[in-house]
Amino acid sequence: MSAIDGEDLGSGTWTSRRDGGPDTMLVRRCRLEVVAGPDAGATHVSASPVILIGRSGGDLVLSDRRVSALHAEIRLEPDGYRLRDLGSTNGTYAWGMKIIDAFIGPSTTLVVGDSAVRFVPLPDAVEMPLWASSRMCGLVGSSPAMRRLFETIDRIAQSDATVLVTGETGTGKELVAEAIHERSRRAGGPFVVFDCGAVPAQLFEDQVFGHEAGSFTGASRATTGVFEAAHRGTLFLDEVGELPQDAQAKILRAVETRRIRRIGGSGSQTIDCDVRLVAATNRNLAAEMNRGSFRADLYFRLAVARLHVPPLRERLEDVELLVEHFLGALRLGRERALPPEFVGWAATQTWPGNVRELRNAVERATAAVPQARWASEEPAEAEGPASLVDVDLSLPFRESKRRVVEEFERRYVTGLLEANGGNISAAARSAGLDRMSVYKMLQRLGLRDRWRGA
């Protein structure tokens, strides 16, 4: 713990650089004082970048019945203290106003339910190490927020704790899951991705648990589901917020017991699955839980450890490094150089599509697309006639048809992914396909590296 000589109370976190030692992030200690309500007189002192307030599962736990399970959070950031309501039933108030997302000052009193809580930053801080490199596995970032994320990934990876990864679309949540797997003792095992939002409800149980031969019409042989496929490895449940409620109970049982039963299996035919679970969502699961659309018991079972991937607009110092990374990944020749003004332009954008959108912009800029279209997600207008390809009459019918179909698939899947910001799950849903079909198409067409991590 470090005393803060002369440091004002306006900053929640900052970076300390010591001669001969590693960089560290200092996180200010803060005290929450309950000044009114059923728990009046209670206090909680925290030294965490995120402080949760709620009736269960929070850092400050209140017995007030009008407080939601997870009601509000305070994030300590370099610019101050950010209060965010988590979709609570009765709202979060400060200064007599209902707060959705706002910065608060020292000694602000928050009203949650029938309780009042005073927020008091303290004049000391706790040091938290930062990752020494600007890279981890497929992740790239030199900002303190990302290097702290890398350090936390490495620490969490050493255990088998279930992890919930949150963040906006395009921030790289799947890459975080892959990094957890690669840094863990399970790195030699499988890494299996299951997109909870891309599987039709009637196929969900079969995809997750598999089936026995003869269990339904057409089931000529037994098949494994994703839990079995991930045995001794990691199962990544992507878009877990999309799980229908009837499926949530089945997933919960498997998460709790690490034991599954295939469709058509008898009550005694349970299969042990040694699986590490990582789930991800871009939705506010606390809000979903508060309104009853996501099970609280499943949320807390998945969120044993929590990781939040910051949006690109909150770490614009990483833009230049990311651009260099994408240029290397694209393997471009000299004739496709990046315009010199691109990086300066990119550092001024808000990037609603985050890292995925930046990658797309890099690719457009190197293709000599005008600057006005660098951030555009709309495909460029086609030149010439609308036909896909010229039909080569010198080829046999089957070969000519194969080439036409392949070109159609290439243009279709490329346009589809660009229209959906590179999000494979969203692209699959909009096309009426399952996620694995899109993956296989990308693999077959040689496009998988281009959309890696999407």
Side-chain angles (χ1 to χ4, degrees):
M1 192 172 303
S2 302
I4 309 169
D5 296 330
E7 179 74 36
D8 65 45
L9 298 177
S11 177
T13 65
W14 59 98
T15 303
S16 173
R17 292 179 172 84
R18 294 184 176 180
D19 293 338
D23 292 351
T24 59
M25 176 184 287
L26 284 99
V27 178
R28 186 183 298 280
R29 288 204 316 143
C30 299
R31 184 172 65 243
L32 298 180
E33 304 170 348
V34 184
V35 295
D39 304 290
T43 62
H44 172 78
V45 176
S46 174
S48 170
V50 181
I51 307 170
L52 292 168
I53 301 171
R55 203 175 62 253
S56 59
D59 299 297
L60 175 65
V61 178
L62 301 172
S63 61
D64 187 340
R65 291 182 175 274
R66 296 189 69 244
V67 170
S68 296
L70 285 180
H71 196 106
E73 69 175 18
I74 301 172
R75 287 188 174 271
L76 277 62
E77 301 181 357
D79 293 334
Y81 313 101
R82 187 172 181 176
L83 172 66
R84 188 167 71 101
D85 182 81
L86 297 177
S88 65
T89 302
N90 295 306
T92 300
Y93 295 82
W95 318 296
M97 298 183 293
K98 187 173 184 178
I99 301 298
I100 302 299
D101 192 336
F103 280 93
I104 60 174
S107 299
T108 297
T109 297
L110 321 176
V111 177
V112 291
D114 291 325
S115 301
V117 179
R118 183 183 295 122
F119 172 69
V120 183
L122 301 174
D124 54 18
V126 172
E127 294 186 16
M128 295 186 174
L130 299 178
W131 192 246
S133 170
S134 61
R135 297 173 186 270
M136 170 182 273
C137 303
L139 294 160
V140 176
S142 60
S143 61
M146 289 302 289
R147 290 168 59 205
R148 178 59 194 159
L149 176 64
F150 298 165
E151 180 71 30
T152 308
I153 288 171
D154 188 61
R155 175 171 49 81
I156 288 175
Q158 307 313 310
S159 73
D160 262 350
T162 302
V163 184
L164 178 64
V165 184
T166 60
E168 297 176 7
T169 296
T171 50
K173 296 185 291 296
E174 184 169 338
L175 291 177
V176 169
E178 288 182 356
I180 293 171
H181 174 72
E182 291 176 25
R183 302 291 300 182
S184 75
R185 64 179 179 83
R186 296 175 177 271
F191 177 77
V192 178
V193 178
F194 179 70
D195 187 341
C196 300
V199 179
Q202 63 271 24
L203 298 179
F204 175 83
E205 194 168 352
D206 185 35
Q207 293 279 316
V208 175
F209 305 120
H211 63 259
E212 299 289 356
S215 56
F216 52 83
T217 302
S220 57
R221 59 185 180 84
T223 65
T224 60
V226 292
F227 263 87
E228 279 186 85
H231 183 60
R232 294 182 179 171
T234 302
L235 175 58
F236 176 49
L237 299 175
D238 197 11
E239 306 290 354
V240 72
E242 305 291 335
L243 279 173
Q245 283 197 299
D246 59 340
Q248 291 175 26
K250 296 170 184 176
I251 287 286
L252 174 63
R253 192 175 304 113
V255 171
E256 287 183 328
T257 64
R258 298 299 198 274
R259 200 175 279 144
I260 60 99
R261 185 169 63 246
R262 293 176 181 170
I263 297 173
S266 68
S268 61
Q269 289 179 301
T270 57
I271 301 169
D272 290 331
C273 298
D274 178 14
V275 172
R276 202 265 178 80
L277 281 144
V278 180
T281 183
N282 60 9
R283 299 174 68 170
N284 184 345
L285 285 194
E288 302 285 341
M289 181 176 65
N290 289 334
R291 56 175 167 258
S293 58
F294 197 88
R295 292 179 63 116
D297 46 6
L298 178 57
Y299 174 86
F300 289 117
R301 180 63 68 176
L302 293 175
V304 175
R306 301 183 183 98
L307 290 173
H308 180 72
V309 190
L312 184 54
R313 63 182 174 276
E314 293 181 5
R315 54 183 189 101
L316 289 175
E317 62 264 50
D318 289 338
V319 164
E320 185 172 359
L321 188 64
L322 285 164
V323 169
E324 292 175 1
H325 172 71
F326 293 143
L327 287 172
L330 289 169
R331 302 184 183 91
L332 301 172
R334 291 183 179 178
E335 70 280 1
R336 293 186 63 187
L338 191 70
E341 67 273 22
F342 179 85
V343 173
W345 168 85
T348 66
Q349 305 303 301
T350 57
W351 301 111
N354 292 293
V355 177
R356 185 184 293 125
E357 184 186 358
L358 175 61
R359 180 190 173 111
N360 293 346
V362 169
E363 192 162 359
R364 280 191 289 273
T366 57
V369 172
Q371 179 172 341
R373 295 188 57 80
W374 286 350
S376 172
E377 293 297 332
E378 298 178 6
E381 294 180 9
E383 296 181 2
S387 62
L388 285 172
V389 291
D390 291 330
V391 175
D392 189 346
L393 297 178
S394 68
L395 295 173
F397 171 79
R398 289 178 182 273
E399 176 61 16
S400 185
K401 179 181 178 181
R402 184 192 67 77
R403 292 191 180 189
V404 171
V405 171
E406 182 176 294
E407 181 62 17
F408 164 75
E409 289 183 342
R410 183 183 304 277
R411 293 191 185 187
Y412 182 87
V413 74
T414 299
L416 184 70
L417 284 163
E418 288 181 349
N420 286 276
N423 187 322
I424 291 179
S425 301
R429 285 194 293 273
S430 67
L433 299 170
D434 63 74
R435 178 178 172 134
M436 288 310 298
S437 294
V438 178
Y439 269 119
K440 289 176 182 177
M441 194 182 305
L442 292 171
Q443 186 71 35
R444 186 175 68 254
L445 297 171
L447 300 172
R448 185 66 185 92
D449 288 344
R450 176 179 174 183
W451 300 100
R452 173 142 181 97

